């Protein structure tokens, strides 16, 4: 017994030595051969970008906000009613009372606040100078509230209408800068991350990968990392007579499942030609050509390995596909009767019925053959996080510096204007601690706008799938970005989270660059009120026909109707003119008449 144990211990020691050495080799030989250039970047147009920022949850409400050119007569009549309400919300006394009255209600949730802020943004998009004036007024009120006795906490969260309004305002004003200066570095980073993840094994069931930035998504449980890279010559079926296109070279791994191979084929096609293949992944089949005969490659078929009640997904290794093999892509054949399930991933029990690289836990198998389960230590594979960081590091730095860089030594006018506004408020309130103003600026711009963009590139680009794994990697980068704006020095030990340790050596340099950025913005020549007003008017005019302001007004009216007495009371407290209250009653009468006419 002791002899067998000694043999097993020696075997384990040998395996661990080998894996640690391989990790060291990978780290020292990692070369960043990732994509350096792309074709046309698939930017979303302005209105769809704006809607994703305003209404991130999407749904029917967001869809209503896009203007429909073919409006029927009934809609035009409703829009005429909205004109009176539109004039009313352009009275700042009314609108500030409206906002404060709503926010004082206990049943007015944070979600309601965000919705109202975005409805106001759409309704007033045609008059951005007024929206800016409203935002400044509400921000000053927020700063004056007794609950904000801790000025460093200001704007940290989105707990008021004006905080969401600020997010929307930044998005409107910085869209041009985002497209011109930050869009390409962001797209290249996302592309590089996706490629780096797919360079190594990715478990098709859990989506964990050997190459990742996030420890939670690290593939360390796989029993066998014995994989090899393959170059496949991919041919696309064209026409109906069996003709094929010229071959496309695609990089794959022996451990890739058939669906992963399809995904890599389509990604390579888009990278090479700059546009997607005519069919989607679930619409194609692939075949392996050997000796003039084609073998269909399926994710699961009669030859699939089964352990207990769990089926292993087929891989290129399973089909013994060699390096340089020819693979043919064709339209999926539809079998009768038609099944809505076109992929095994559509199975509700996919994660329990199938496995890929991580063996299923089969108690019977483990108890009878404990030696089959190799000892796996996650810590051995932590070097893979560093390998991934090294591979994408230049892309991360390019992105960060495109954000806090100063093209032509000039920050975007909205950044300069708003930072000057915060400096003026600090002076007005006799805030002498420079850290407070630094935190205000950080909570307004990087935290409120850039983090949203870094974590949601699908808000900026079309046809970009943000998988949970990509999301986790972007969160690590976003954390490093925010740490660069922090004024506190972090004390990191061996028990610190790996996402903090990964960028620990880079953060001090980034912090210096951020401080210099804030200083350069402050020293920059101020933007005159008239100059900035012209910029805002131009932005309004540029997008004047893109949003359905009437739809936003109709939705806003629902809140006015719900809290009518509370808004009236707030107007009375402010000694609002009787004319203003009459206008409010007139709006209510017009909308009530509209309801009655729709019932008859």
């Amino acid at each position: 017994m002791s002899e067998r144990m000694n043999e097993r211990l020696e075997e384990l020691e040998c395996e661990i030595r080998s894996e640690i050495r391989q990790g060291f080799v990978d780290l020292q030989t990692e070369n960043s051969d990732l994509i350096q250039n792309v074709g046309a970047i698939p930017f979303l147009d302005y209105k769809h970008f704006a809607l994703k920022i305003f209404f991130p949850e999407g749904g029917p409400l967001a869809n209503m906000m896009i203007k429909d050119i073919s409006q029927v007569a009934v809609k035009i009549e409703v829009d005429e009613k909205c004109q009176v309400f539109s004039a009313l919300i352009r009275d700042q006394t009314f609108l500030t009372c409206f906002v404060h009255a709503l926010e004082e209600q206990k049943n007015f949730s944070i979600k309601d606040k965000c919705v109202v802020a975005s409805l106001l943004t759409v309704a007033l998009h045609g008059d951005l100078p007024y929206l800016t004036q409203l935002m400044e007024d509400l921000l000053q009120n927020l700063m004056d509230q007794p609950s904000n006795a801790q000025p460093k906490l200001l704007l940290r969260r989105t707990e008021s209408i004006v905080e969401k309004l600020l997010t929307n305002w930044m998005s409107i004003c910085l869209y041009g800068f985002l497209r011109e200066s930050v869009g390409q570095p962001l797209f290249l980073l996302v592309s590089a991350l996706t490629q780096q993840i797919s360079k190594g094994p990715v478990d098709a069931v859990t989506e964990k990968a050997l190459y990742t930035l996030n420890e939670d998504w690290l593939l360390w449980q796989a029993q066998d990392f014995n994989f090899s890279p393959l170059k496949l010559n991919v041919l696309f079926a064209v026409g109906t007579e069996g003709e094929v296109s010229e071959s496309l070279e695609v990089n794959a791994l022996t451990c890739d499942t058939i669906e992963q191979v399809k995904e890599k084929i389509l990604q390579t096609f888009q990278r090479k030609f700059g546009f997607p293949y005519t069919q989607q992944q679930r619409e194609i089949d692939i075949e392996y050509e050997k000796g003039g005969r084609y073998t269909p490659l399926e994710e699961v078929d009669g030859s699939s390995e089964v352990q207990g009640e769990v089926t292993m997904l087929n891989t290129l290794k399973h089909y013994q596909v060699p390096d340089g093999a020819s693979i043919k892509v064709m339209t999926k054949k539809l079998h009768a009767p038609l099944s809505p399930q076109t992929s095994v991933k559509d199975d509700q029990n996919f994660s329990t019925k199938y496995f890929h690289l991580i063996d299923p836990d089969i108690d019977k198998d483990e108890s009878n053959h404990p030696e089959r389960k190799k000892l796996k230590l996650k810590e051995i594979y932590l070097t893979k996080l560093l390998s991934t960081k090294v591979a994408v590091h230049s892309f991360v730095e390019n992105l960060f510096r495109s954000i806090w860089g100063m093209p032509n030594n000039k920050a975007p006018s909205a950044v300069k204007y708003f930072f000057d506004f915060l400096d003026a408020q600090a002076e007005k309130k006799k805030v002498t601690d420079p850290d407070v103003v630094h935190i205000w600026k950080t909570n307004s711009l990087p935290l409120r706008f850039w983090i949203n963009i870094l974590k949601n590139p699908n808000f900026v680009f079309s046809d970009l799938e943000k998988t949970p794994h990509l999301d986790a990697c972007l969160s690590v980068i976003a954390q490093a970005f925010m740490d660069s704006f922090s004024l506190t020095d972090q004390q990191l030990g061996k028990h610190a989270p790996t996402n903090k340790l990964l960028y620990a050596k880079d953060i001090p340099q980034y912090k210096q660059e951020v401080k210099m950025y804030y200083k350069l913005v402050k020293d920059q020549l101020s933007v005159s009120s008239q100059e900035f007003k012209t910029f805002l008017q131009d932005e309004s005019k540029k997008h004047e026909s893109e949003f359905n302001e009437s739809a936003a007004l109709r939705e806003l009216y629902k809140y006015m109707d719900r809290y009518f007495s509370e808004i009236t009371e707030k107007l009375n407290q402010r000694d609002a003119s009787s004319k203003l209250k009459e206008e409010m009653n007139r709006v209510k009468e017009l909308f009530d008449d509209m309801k009655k006419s729709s019932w008859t």
Side-chain angles (χ1 to χ4, degrees):
M1 181 67 180
S2 61
E3 189 178 337
R4 279 185 64 191
M5 279 187 69
N6 284 334
E7 284 177 8
R8 181 66 184 136
L9 284 170
E10 282 182 24
E11 193 180 316
L12 281 172
E13 187 179 334
C14 190
E15 286 171 3
I16 290 170
R17 282 174 185 272
S18 173
E19 286 173 343
I20 291 173
R21 177 169 287 277
Q22 186 58 50
F24 177 76
V25 170
D26 288 350
L27 192 55
Q28 297 305 317
T29 58
E30 179 63 52
N31 60 334
S32 184
D33 57 351
L34 301 174
I35 187 168
Q36 291 290 342
N37 196 15
V38 287
I41 294 175
F43 284 107
L44 278 173
D45 62 10
Y46 173 77
K47 66 183 174 187
H48 288 99
F49 160 78
L51 280 187
K52 283 180 180 287
I53 299 286
F54 301 166
F55 305 99
E57 293 177 4
L61 182 63
N63 295 334
M64 284 165 55
M65 296 302 121
I66 296 178
K67 200 161 194 177
D68 182 8
I69 298 167
S70 57
Q71 289 181 321
V72 294
V74 177
K75 284 188 178 178
I76 293 168
E77 188 183 341
V78 172
D79 289 350
E80 287 172 4
K81 311 284 191 219
C82 288
Q83 285 174 9
V84 185
F85 188 32
S86 178
L88 180 62
I89 65 169
R90 277 168 170 76
D91 184 298
Q92 199 164 332
T93 301
F94 169 78
L95 197 47
T96 50
C97 287
F98 173 86
V99 168
H100 292 318
L102 265 57
E103 291 194 316
E104 287 171 9
Q105 308 313 309
K106 288 182 179 177
N107 63 346
F108 189 68
S109 66
I110 288 177
K111 185 180 178 182
D112 286 328
K113 290 173 185 177
C114 291
V115 168
V116 167
S118 292
L119 291 173
L120 281 172
T121 308
V122 173
L124 296 171
H125 199 286
D127 192 356
L128 288 175
Y130 173 63
L131 184 69
T132 305
Q133 190 182 333
L134 170 73
M135 181 186 74
E136 289 176 10
D137 191 36
L138 292 173
L139 277 171
Q140 288 174 23
N141 292 338
L142 184 68
M143 290 173 177
D144 291 337
Q145 284 178 12
S147 58
N148 284 316
Q150 289 288 334
K152 287 184 180 180
L153 299 178
L154 187 74
L155 303 174
R156 181 177 288 186
R157 299 184 183 88
T158 300
E159 294 178 341
S160 64
I161 288 173
V162 70
E163 285 167 306
K164 175 61 176 171
L165 210 53
L166 176 57
T167 300
N168 296 348
W169 184 86
M170 282 288 183
S171 306
I172 292 167
C173 294
L174 292 179
Y175 177 72
F177 178 72
L178 174 62
R179 280 198 67 146
E180 290 162 20
S181 302
V182 182
Q184 187 182 47
L186 176 61
F187 189 74
L188 287 173
L189 170 62
V190 173
S191 301
L193 262 176
T194 305
Q195 284 183 63
Q196 179 64 16
I197 289 168
S198 64
K199 272 177 71 174
V202 178
D203 183 68
V205 177
T206 64
E207 294 185 31
K208 291 186 176 184
L210 188 60
Y211 292 110
T212 180
L213 287 174
N214 193 303
E215 185 181 344
D216 294 338
W217 288 84
L218 179 62
L219 177 64
W220 59 274
Q221 308 98 318
Q223 289 300 306
D224 184 11
F225 278 127
N226 185 17
F227 65 93
S228 306
L230 299 175
K231 288 193 183 298
L232 305 175
N233 294 314
V234 177
L235 307 165
F236 294 86
V238 290
T240 55
E241 303 298 320
E243 305 98 322
V244 292
S245 65
E246 289 184 22
S247 69
L248 174 71
E249 188 176 87
V250 175
N251 293 321
L253 301 172
T254 50
C255 61
D256 284 342
T257 68
I258 305 310
E259 288 300 315
Q260 286 176 336
V261 174
K262 288 183 189 178
E263 187 178 2
K264 287 183 177 181
I265 289 171
L266 297 182
Q267 285 174 350
T268 306
F269 183 96
Q270 178 149 9
R271 275 200 297 272
K272 179 165 183 182
F273 299 109
F275 55 87
Y277 185 58
T278 52
Q279 290 169 304
Q280 296 180 350
Q281 188 173 324
R282 57 176 55 235
E283 297 170 340
I284 61 170
D285 278 329
I286 57 174
E287 294 181 344
Y288 159 46
E289 189 268 331
K290 184 179 180 182
R293 297 180 63 185
Y294 282 96
T295 304
L297 303 183
E298 302 279 354
E299 192 87 330
V300 175
D301 61 15
S303 69
S304 301
E305 181 187 331
V306 179
Q307 289 190 24
E309 295 180 358
V310 191
T311 304
M312 182 176 180
L313 300 174
N314 294 337
T315 62
L316 292 178
K317 184 179 180 181
H318 170 81
Y319 283 111
Q320 298 179 334
V321 175
D323 189 34
S326 291
I327 301 290
K328 185 177 173 184
V329 176
M330 63 195 65
T331 304
K332 189 182 284 287
K333 298 180 181 71
L334 293 174
H335 303 287
L338 291 176
S339 167
Q341 181 179 312
T342 55
S343 165
V344 291
K345 275 200 169 183
D346 294 334
D347 191 324
Q348 286 185 334
N349 302 312
F350 172 70
S351 59
T352 53
K353 285 172 68 174
Y354 302 97
F355 76 100
H356 177 206
L357 299 172
I358 301 175
D359 281 0
D361 291 323
I362 302 170
D363 297 334
K364 186 175 72 173
D365 187 57
E366 276 198 66
S367 58
N368 292 338
H369 305 282
E371 72 281 359
R372 283 190 186 177
K373 291 284 179 185
K374 293 181 181 178
L375 177 66
K376 287 289 175 180
L377 300 172
K378 183 198 276 189
E379 288 72 15
I380 293 172
Y381 297 98
L382 291 180
T383 54
K384 300 300 182 187
L385 303 180
L386 201 49
S387 294
T388 306
K389 184 217 168 183
V390 169
V392 301
H393 192 58
S394 63
F395 297 95
V396 171
E397 290 208 328
N398 286 343
L399 174 62
F400 285 7
R401 285 167 183 155
S402 72
I403 291 172
W404 61 58
M406 300 271 280
N408 307 317
N409 293 320
K410 193 177 179 185
S413 55
V415 173
K416 173 61 180 169
Y417 179 86
F418 192 74
F419 279 14
D420 281 358
F421 168 78
L422 292 176
D423 286 332
Q425 294 308 306
E427 195 175 325
K428 183 180 169 185
K429 297 182 187 310
K430 297 182 171 54
V431 174
T432 53
D433 184 355
D435 288 0
V436 170
V437 185
H438 178 102
I439 290 167
W440 284 0
K441 291 174 181 178
T442 297
N443 291 348
S444 303
L445 179 63
L447 181 63
R448 196 154 292 284
F449 176 68
W450 288 120
I451 285 295
N452 203 13
I453 299 300
L454 293 188
K455 292 183 74 172
N456 298 291
N458 51 312
F459 285 9
V460 184
F461 309 112
S462 61
D463 302 323
L464 192 151
E465 184 191 2
K466 189 181 74 168
T467 63
H469 186 177
L470 178 61
D471 182 48
C473 289
L474 290 171
S475 292
V476 173
I477 293 168
Q479 182 64 60
F481 181 78
M482 277 316 299
D483 287 345
S484 305
F485 288 84
S486 173
L487 291 168
T488 55
D489 291 324
Q490 295 175 324
Q491 302 300 318
L492 299 173
K494 65 179 180 180
H495 297 298
T498 50
N499 66 322
K500 291 273 190 182
L501 291 168
L502 262 184
Y503 286 93
K505 285 190 174 181
D506 307 290
I507 298 298
Q509 173 61 32
Y510 296 158
K511 282 186 175 183
Q512 291 305 313
E513 293 178 21
V514 165
K515 283 180 181 174
M516 180 56 67
Y517 170 65
Y518 278 178
K519 183 181 184 304
L520 288 171
V521 174
K522 187 167 186 175
D523 294 345
Q524 187 180 314
L525 199 65
S526 291
V527 184
S528 71
S529 297
Q530 186 54 48
E531 189 183 342
F532 194 61
K533 186 178 180 182
T534 303
F535 163 77
L536 292 170
Q537 286 170 337
D538 289 346
E539 290 301 306
S540 284
K541 194 169 183 182
K542 212 183 288 181
H543 309 292
E544 64 185 348
S545 61
E546 296 187 7
F547 295 106
N548 191 340
E549 292 177 12
S550 294
L553 288 164
R554 285 194 296 273
E555 292 300 314
L556 270 176
Y557 175 75
K558 292 176 184 177
Y559 288 95
M560 183 178 123
D561 190 37
R562 190 187 308 169
Y563 299 108
F564 191 83
S565 58
E566 290 84 353
I567 297 166
T568 305
E569 188 182 334
K570 183 62 71 175
L571 286 169
N572 290 332
Q573 289 172 9
R574 286 280 299 270
D575 294 326
S577 67
S578 55
K579 185 184 176 186
L580 192 56
K581 285 179 267 188
E582 284 169 15
E583 283 298 307
M584 183 175 161
N585 281 304
R586 182 171 171 238
V587 169
K588 183 171 171 55
E589 285 168 14
L590 287 169
F591 273 88
D592 285 348
D593 288 346
M594 186 187 69
K595 281 183 192 173
K596 288 172 189 172
S597 63
S598 65
W599 292 338
T600 55

